Amino acid sequence: MTFAVVVVVAIPVVLALTALCAQSAATQWLSSYTPIVYLEADTSGASAQALAQELGEWSLVKEAVVRAPEDAHAVLVARLGADVVTELGITPTMLPTSIVLEPALPVVGHIDLVSRVAGLEARAEVDAVEVPSSDAMQVVTLAGVGLGVAAFLALFGLFAALALLLGYLERLRRADEDVDRVVALFGAYSGELRRPTLVRGLALGTACGIFVSLGGAMALLSWQLWSVNLVGTASSAPAVAWSVVASPVLLIPILGLVAAFAASRTPVQIWRGAHA
């Protein structure tokens, strides 16, 4: 029974954590991404400045800066190291002039900006553009759908866990019914007869909640350790994911108590009245 409760609660928890971590990684990558427009080699400086001024007037662009080949080379040296750049034989003359766009808001909220930048490739002075992959945006969308499904499954899982706990506690109560009747004859109060079932419900709920929360915590810690290998960028677990991890250890004991209250509505008092 404990295993069944853990499973029905763990499924929506795992789905929610997967969606939250995927959404966090995709959002973090998209938010830090900078669209770049690479110009043709024969584009003059005046044309580059004119295009940068035009792009800077877009409502979704905070600033458009022309990056000369020398500046692009300096960026490569800063990222890769001078030794690596020298070993690869990359010189400023090999790099094109480009326009770096700083979005007014994170790119994740501007699919329209990505589409407009991608359309610049049709212009004669533009050689290529670098924009976020549509796959990352689809991950954000799918993660939102996954969270909705996880919420529905969580609601279903809570009802299923309540039913499992109630059925198990009722079976235990029936097994102790004969003993309760004897104890009731000696004046045991209703609260004393209910206490064992309440303790069992709280203990079972707490144990199941601890199992699920520990599994979720281990999954999140593993994500933080292996996110670089999985998605290519370090990504910490979002704060809301930790609240999802903590929820089972808080909610399932409450379910255990609710199930115990329902199961402990013993017919002892009725039996005692019939034999008074």
Side-chain angles (χ1 to χ4, degrees), residues 13-29 139-140 143-144 147 216-224 227 230-231 233-242 244-245:
V13 169
V14 170
L15 180 58
L17 292 180
T18 302
L20 286 171
C21 289
Q23 186 181 56
S24 175
T27 301
Q28 180 179 341
W29 187 82
V139 168
V140 176
L147 289 175
M218 292 176 63
L220 279 188
L221 291 175
S222 299
W223 165 259
Q224 293 185 166
S227 60
L230 293 174
V231 298
T233 181
S235 177
S236 59
V240 67
W242 288 107
V244 171
V245 168

Side-chain angles (χ1 to χ4, degrees), residues 231-276:
V231 298
T233 181
S235 177
S236 59
V240 67
W242 288 107
S243 56
V244 171
V245 168
S247 59
V249 79
L250 298 175
L251 293 179
I252 304 182
I254 296 176
L255 287 182
L257 277 178
V258 172
F261 272 111
S264 63
R265 298 173 65 180
T266 174
V268 169
Q269 295 297 333
I270 298 176
W271 183 91
R272 181 192 295 172
H275 292 77

